[in-house]
Amino acid sequence: MTDTFHGTTILAVRHKNWVVVAGDGQVTLGTIVTKHKAKKVRRIYNDKIITGFAGATADALTLSEKLEQKLEQYNGNLTRSAVELAREWRTDKYLRRLEAMMIAADEKNTYLLSGNGDVIEPDDGVISIGSGSTAAQAAAQALVVHTDLDARTIVTEAMKIAAALCIYTNNYITIEEMKQ
């Protein structure tokens, strides 16, 4: 039996005219933490799109490159690019084998993309992927509704909660943000 890499939490929050995407830095192989400061959130397409990925790193980077190609093809239209990537991901023999999920956000839209052909836009502006996603998303949703915090603080606090609960999530957080 081969050990598999685990661990990541990616959280996106759209709140008070800001969109913030964060990811933790832990990579785990079996029961060993092999990296503490992996960068799983980055900007693409002339810094206009923020992406975060969970899953196999090489697969996620391939998907990020494919998304960037789609953005070039569709003049930066994230919605169209996400739909076309999801369609290709689901139907292409090579891409179908990629084991990753992605969150992509621009100034107007936030999407979760999966290999099943899903392009999901959250109803309330909060979405997450990865092993600590349930804790991060629940914390962020509670903070959005029950506090007056800004989006960056909500994401930071929610990621701290996820790191405290999920053994595959740590406190080394990469954050990217943009004004809507």
Side-chain angles (χ1 to χ4, degrees):
M1 184 168 108
T2 304
D3 285 332
T4 57
F5 282 96
H6 288 284
T8 240
T9 301
I10 304 295
L11 174 64
V13 173
R14 188 172 290 278
H15 182 64
K16 292 186 177 180
N17 297 318
W18 285 88
V19 62
V20 180
V21 181
D24 78 303
Q26 183 170 304
V27 177
T28 307
L29 177 59
T31 59
I32 305 295
V33 176
T34 57
K35 188 166 179 74
H36 297 278
K37 297 180 179 180
K39 187 174 179 190
K40 304 168 194 170
V41 174
R42 66 186 193 116
R43 289 178 176 264
I44 62 172
Y45 192 71
N46 303 316
D47 292 339
K48 294 179 182 178
I49 309 291
I50 302 171
T51 62
F53 60 84
T57 304
D59 293 352
L61 292 175
T62 298
L63 291 171
S64 185
E65 289 170 6
K66 286 283 194 186
L67 178 59
E68 196 151 19
Q69 290 170 2
K70 296 292 182 191
L71 288 162
E72 293 290 337
Q73 183 178 353
Y74 296 109
N75 299 316
N77 183 324
L78 179 58
T79 302
R80 178 79 187 270
S81 299
V83 168
E84 292 301 324
L85 174 61
R87 181 183 333 219
E88 184 177 342
W89 190 356
R90 189 185 77 234
T91 59
D92 184 89
K93 192 175 191 177
Y94 168 73
L95 291 179
R96 216 177 15 226
R97 296 181 188 167
L98 298 181
E99 296 181 14
M101 294 180 81
M102 175 184 286
I103 288 177
D106 66 8
E107 62 186 22
K108 296 179 184 172
N109 305 291
T110 303
Y111 298 113
L112 181 154
L113 291 87
S114 81
N116 296 329
D118 298 320
V119 178
I120 300 168
E121 184 174 24
D123 291 331
D124 60 1
V126 178
I127 198 151
S128 62
I129 56 175
S131 57
S133 65
T134 303
Q137 187 164 336
Q141 286 174 319
L143 290 168
V144 165
V145 172
H146 297 293
T147 70
D148 196 34
L149 298 173
D150 62 89
R152 185 181 182 99
T153 304
I154 288 170
V155 165
T156 301
E157 294 305 311
M159 291 296 288
K160 286 180 188 176
I161 291 168
L165 296 173
C166 176
I167 62 170
Y168 298 117
T169 303
N170 70 7
N171 280 316
Y172 181 81
I173 309 297
T174 302
I175 295 176
E176 292 286 346
E177 61 188 322
M178 73 175 70
K179 189 138 177 82
Q180 294 186 54

